Coordinates of all heavy atoms in Angstrom, one line a residue:
A154 N 7.8 -13.4 4.5 CA 8.3 -13.6 3.1 C 7.2 -14.2 2.2 O 7.0 -13.8 1.1 CB 9.5 -14.5 3.1
I155 N 6.4 -15.2 2.7 CA 5.4 -15.8 1.9 C 4.3 -14.8 1.6 O 3.8 -14.7 0.5 CB 4.9 -17.1 2.5 CG1 5.9 -18.2 2.5 CG2 3.6 -17.6 1.8 CD1 6.2 -18.8 1.1
Y156 N 3.9 -14.1 2.6 CA 2.8 -13.1 2.5 C 3.1 -12.1 1.4 O 2.3 -12.0 0.4 CB 2.5 -12.4 3.8 CG 1.3 -11.5 3.7 CD1 0.0 -11.9 3.5 CD2 1.5 -10.1 3.7 CE1 -1.1 -11.1 3.3 CE2 0.4 -9.2 3.5 CZ -0.8 -9.7 3.4 OH -1.9 -8.8 3.2
G157 N 4.2 -11.5 1.4 CA 4.6 -10.5 0.4 C 4.7 -11.1 -1.0 O 4.2 -10.5 -2.0
A158 N 5.2 -12.4 -1.0 CA 5.3 -13.0 -2.3 C 3.9 -13.4 -2.9 O 3.7 -13.2 -4.1 CB 6.1 -14.3 -2.2
T159 N 3.0 -13.7 -2.0 CA 1.6 -14.0 -2.6 C 1.0 -12.7 -3.1 O 0.3 -12.7 -4.1 CB 0.7 -14.7 -1.5 OG1 0.4 -13.7 -0.4 CG2 1.2 -16.0 -1.0
K160 N 1.2 -11.6 -2.4 CA 0.6 -10.4 -2.8 C 1.3 -9.8 -4.1 O 0.6 -9.1 -4.9 CB 0.6 -9.4 -1.6 CG -0.3 -9.8 -0.5 CD -1.7 -10.1 -0.9 CE -2.6 -10.5 0.2 NZ -4.0 -10.7 -0.2
A161 N 2.6 -10.1 -4.2 CA 3.3 -9.7 -5.5 C 2.7 -10.5 -6.6 O 2.5 -9.9 -7.7 CB 4.8 -10.0 -5.4
F162 N 2.4 -11.7 -6.4 CA 1.7 -12.5 -7.4 C 0.4 -11.9 -7.8 O 0.0 -11.7 -9.0 CB 1.5 -14.0 -6.9 CG 0.8 -14.8 -7.9 CD1 1.4 -15.6 -8.8 CD2 -0.6 -14.8 -8.0 CE1 0.7 -16.4 -9.8 CE2 -1.3 -15.5 -8.9 CZ -0.7 -16.3 -9.8
V163 N -0.4 -11.6 -6.8 CA -1.8 -11.1 -7.0 C -1.7 -9.8 -7.9 O -2.5 -9.6 -8.8 CB -2.5 -10.8 -5.7 CG1 -3.8 -10.0 -5.9 CG2 -2.8 -12.1 -4.9
R164 N -0.7 -9.0 -7.5 CA -0.6 -7.7 -8.2 C -0.2 -7.9 -9.7 O -0.8 -7.3 -10.6 CB 0.5 -6.8 -7.5 CG 0.6 -5.5 -8.1 CD 1.4 -4.5 -7.1 NE 1.5 -3.3 -7.9 CZ 2.6 -2.9 -8.4 NH1 3.7 -3.6 -8.3 NH2 2.6 -1.8 -9.1
S165 N 0.8 -8.7 -9.9 CA 1.3 -9.0 -11.3 C 0.2 -9.7 -12.1 O -0.1 -9.3 -13.3 CB 2.6 -9.8 -11.2 OG 3.0 -10.2 -12.5
F166 N -0.4 -10.8 -11.5 CA -1.4 -11.6 -12.2 C -2.6 -10.7 -12.7 O -3.0 -10.7 -13.8 CB -1.8 -12.7 -11.3 CG -3.1 -13.3 -11.7 CD1 -3.2 -14.1 -12.8 CD2 -4.3 -13.2 -10.9 CE1 -4.5 -14.7 -13.1 CE2 -5.5 -13.8 -11.2 CZ -5.6 -14.5 -12.3
T167 N -3.1 -9.9 -11.7 CA -4.3 -9.1 -12.0 C -4.0 -8.1 -13.1 O -4.9 -7.8 -13.9 CB -4.8 -8.4 -10.7 OG1 -4.9 -9.5 -9.7 CG2 -6.1 -7.8 -10.9
Q168 N -2.9 -7.4 -13.0 CA -2.6 -6.4 -14.0 C -2.4 -7.0 -15.4 O -2.8 -6.4 -16.4 CB -1.4 -5.6 -13.6 CG -1.7 -4.8 -12.3 CD -0.7 -3.6 -12.1 OE1 -0.5 -2.9 -13.0 NE2 -0.1 -3.6 -10.9
G169 N -1.8 -8.2 -15.4 CA -1.7 -8.9 -16.7 C -3.1 -9.2 -17.3 O -3.3 -9.0 -18.5
V170 N -4.0 -9.8 -16.5 CA -5.3 -10.1 -16.9 C -6.1 -8.8 -17.3 O -6.8 -8.8 -18.3 CB -6.1 -10.9 -15.9 CG1 -7.5 -11.1 -16.3 CG2 -5.4 -12.2 -15.6
H171 N -5.8 -7.7 -16.6 CA -6.5 -6.4 -16.9 C -6.2 -6.1 -18.4 O -7.1 -5.7 -19.1 CB -6.0 -5.4 -16.0 CG -6.4 -4.0 -16.3 ND1 -7.5 -3.4 -15.8 CD2 -5.8 -3.1 -17.2 CE1 -7.6 -2.2 -16.4 NE2 -6.6 -1.9 -17.2
E172 N -4.9 -6.2 -18.8 CA -4.6 -5.9 -20.2 C -5.2 -6.8 -21.1 O -5.7 -6.4 -22.2 CB -3.0 -5.9 -20.3 CG -2.3 -4.7 -19.8 CD -2.8 -3.4 -20.2 OE1 -2.9 -3.1 -21.5 OE2 -3.1 -2.5 -19.4
E173 N -5.2 -8.1 -20.8 CA -5.8 -9.1 -21.7 C -7.3 -8.8 -22.0 O -7.8 -9.2 -23.0 CB -5.7 -10.5 -21.1 CG -4.3 -11.0 -21.1 CD -4.2 -12.4 -20.3 OE1 -5.2 -12.9 -19.9 OE2 -3.1 -12.9 -20.2
L174 N -8.0 -8.2 -21.0 CA -9.4 -8.0 -21.1 C -9.8 -6.7 -21.8 O -11.0 -6.4 -22.0 CB -10.0 -7.9 -19.7 CG -10.0 -9.3 -18.9 CD1 -10.4 -9.0 -17.5 CD2 -11.0 -10.2 -19.6
K175 N -8.8 -5.9 -22.2 CA -9.1 -4.6 -22.9 C -10.1 -4.9 -24.1 O -9.9 -5.8 -24.9 CB -7.9 -4.0 -23.4 CG -7.0 -3.4 -22.3 CD -7.0 -1.8 -22.4 CE -6.5 -1.2 -21.1 NZ -5.1 -0.9 -21.1
G176 N -11.2 -4.1 -24.2 CA -12.1 -4.3 -25.3 C -13.2 -5.3 -25.1 O -14.1 -5.5 -25.9
S177 N -13.1 -6.1 -24.0 CA -14.0 -7.2 -23.7 C -15.3 -6.7 -23.0 O -16.3 -7.4 -22.9 CB -13.4 -8.3 -22.9 OG -13.1 -7.8 -21.6
G178 N -15.2 -5.5 -22.4 CA -16.3 -5.0 -21.5 C -16.2 -5.6 -20.1 O -17.0 -5.2 -19.2
V179 N -15.1 -6.4 -19.8 CA -15.0 -7.0 -18.5 C -13.7 -6.3 -17.8 O -12.7 -6.1 -18.5 CB -14.8 -8.5 -18.6 CG1 -14.5 -9.1 -17.2 CG2 -16.0 -9.1 -19.2
K180 N -13.9 -6.1 -16.5 CA -12.8 -5.4 -15.8 C -12.1 -6.3 -14.8 O -12.6 -7.3 -14.3 CB -13.4 -4.2 -14.9 CG -14.2 -3.2 -15.7 CD -14.7 -2.2 -14.7 CE -15.7 -1.2 -15.3 NZ -16.1 -0.2 -14.3
C181 N -10.8 -6.0 -14.5 CA -10.1 -6.7 -13.5 C -9.1 -5.7 -12.9 O -8.3 -5.1 -13.5 CB -9.3 -7.8 -14.2 SG -8.6 -9.1 -13.1
M182 N -9.2 -5.6 -11.5 CA -8.5 -4.6 -10.8 C -7.9 -5.2 -9.6 O -8.5 -6.0 -8.9 CB -9.4 -3.4 -10.4 CG -8.7 -2.3 -9.7 SD -9.8 -1.0 -9.1 CE -10.2 -1.6 -7.5
V183 N -6.6 -4.8 -9.2 CA -6.1 -5.2 -8.0 C -6.2 -4.0 -7.0 O -5.9 -2.9 -7.3 CB -4.6 -5.7 -8.1 CG1 -3.7 -4.6 -8.7 CG2 -4.0 -6.1 -6.8
L184 N -6.6 -4.3 -5.8 CA -6.7 -3.3 -4.7 C -5.5 -3.6 -3.8 O -5.3 -4.8 -3.3 CB -8.0 -3.5 -3.9 CG -8.1 -2.8 -2.5 CD1 -8.0 -1.3 -2.7 CD2 -9.4 -3.2 -1.8
S185 N -4.6 -2.6 -3.6 CA -3.4 -2.8 -2.8 C -3.5 -1.9 -1.5 O -2.9 -0.8 -1.5 CB -2.2 -2.5 -3.6 OG -2.1 -3.3 -4.8
P186 N -4.1 -2.4 -0.5 CA -4.3 -1.6 0.7 C -3.0 -1.5 1.5 O -2.1 -2.4 1.4 CB -5.3 -2.3 1.6 CG -5.9 -3.3 0.7 CD -4.9 -3.6 -0.3
G187 N -2.8 -0.5 2.4 CA -1.8 -0.5 3.4 C -2.4 -0.9 4.7 O -3.4 -1.7 4.7
F188 N -1.9 -0.4 5.8 CA -2.4 -0.8 7.1 C -3.9 -0.4 7.3 O -4.3 0.7 7.2 CB -1.6 -0.1 8.3 CG -0.2 -0.6 8.4 CD1 0.9 0.2 8.0 CD2 0.1 -1.8 8.9 CE1 2.2 -0.2 8.1 CE2 1.4 -2.3 9.0 CZ 2.4 -1.5 8.6
T189 N -4.7 -1.4 7.5 CA -6.2 -1.3 7.6 C -6.6 -1.9 8.9 O -6.3 -3.1 9.1 CB -6.8 -1.9 6.4 OG1 -6.2 -1.5 5.2 CG2 -8.3 -1.5 6.3
R190 N -7.4 -1.2 9.6 CA -7.9 -1.7 10.9 C -8.9 -2.8 10.7 O -10.1 -2.5 10.4 CB -8.5 -0.6 11.8 CG -7.5 0.4 12.3 CD -8.1 1.4 13.2 NE -7.3 2.6 13.3 CZ -6.2 2.7 13.9 NH1 -5.7 1.7 14.6 NH2 -5.5 3.9 13.9
T191 N -8.5 -4.1 10.9 CA -9.3 -5.2 10.7 C -8.8 -6.3 11.7 O -8.0 -6.0 12.6 CB -9.2 -5.8 9.3 OG1 -7.9 -6.3 9.1 CG2 -9.6 -4.8 8.2
E192 N -9.2 -7.5 11.5 CA -8.7 -8.6 12.4 C -7.4 -9.2 11.9 O -6.8 -10.1 12.4 CB -9.7 -9.7 12.5 CG -11.0 -9.2 13.1 CD -12.2 -10.2 13.0 OE1 -11.9 -11.4 12.7 OE2 -13.3 -9.8 13.2
F193 N -6.9 -8.6 10.7 CA -5.8 -9.2 10.0 C -4.5 -9.3 10.8 O -3.9 -10.4 10.9 CB -5.6 -8.4 8.7 CG -4.4 -8.8 7.9 CD1 -4.5 -9.9 7.0 CD2 -3.1 -8.2 8.1 CE1 -3.4 -10.3 6.3 CE2 -2.0 -8.7 7.4 CZ -2.2 -9.7 6.5
Q194 N -4.1 -8.2 11.4 CA -2.9 -8.2 12.2 C -2.9 -9.2 13.3 O -1.9 -10.0 13.5 CB -2.5 -6.8 12.7 CG -1.9 -5.9 11.7 CD -2.9 -5.4 10.7 OE1 -4.1 -5.4 10.9 NE2 -2.3 -4.9 9.5
Q195 N -4.0 -9.3 14.0 CA -4.1 -10.2 15.2 C -4.0 -11.6 14.7 O -3.3 -12.5 15.2 CB -5.4 -9.9 15.9 CG -5.4 -10.5 17.3 CD -6.8 -10.5 17.9 OE1 -7.7 -9.9 17.3 NE2 -7.0 -11.2 19.0
R196 N -4.8 -11.9 13.6 CA -4.7 -13.3 13.1 C -3.4 -13.7 12.6 O -3.0 -14.9 12.6 CB -5.7 -13.4 11.9 CG -7.2 -13.3 12.3 CD -8.0 -13.7 11.0 NE -9.4 -13.2 11.1 CZ -10.4 -13.9 10.7 NH1 -10.3 -15.2 10.4 NH2 -11.6 -13.4 10.8
A197 N -2.6 -12.7 12.0 CA -1.3 -13.0 11.5 C -0.2 -13.0 12.5 O 0.9 -13.4 12.2 CB -1.0 -12.0 10.4
G198 N -0.5 -12.5 13.7 CA 0.5 -12.4 14.7 C 1.5 -11.3 14.4 O 2.6 -11.3 14.9
F199 N 1.0 -10.3 13.6 CA 1.8 -9.1 13.4 C 1.8 -8.2 14.6 O 0.6 -7.9 15.1 CB 1.3 -8.3 12.2 CG 1.5 -8.9 10.9 CD1 0.8 -8.3 9.8 CD2 2.3 -10.0 10.7 CE1 0.9 -8.9 8.5 CE2 2.4 -10.5 9.4 CZ 1.7 -10.0 8.3

Side-chain angles (χ1 to χ4, degrees):
I155 290 288
Y156 181 69
T159 65
K160 295 302 181 178
F162 177 94
V163 171
R164 184 164 177 258
S165 174
F166 162 69
T167 307
Q168 295 198 49
V170 174
H171 171 93
E172 283 307 307
E173 291 174 3
L174 289 170
K175 287 248 165 94
S177 69
V179 178
K180 301 180 191 182
C181 194
M182 184 187 89
V183 57
L184 166 64
S185 301
F188 290 108
T189 311
R190 290 186 203 285
T191 66
E192 298 169 16
F193 176 84
Q194 276 74 20
Q195 197 191 349
R196 291 188 200 226
F199 290 167

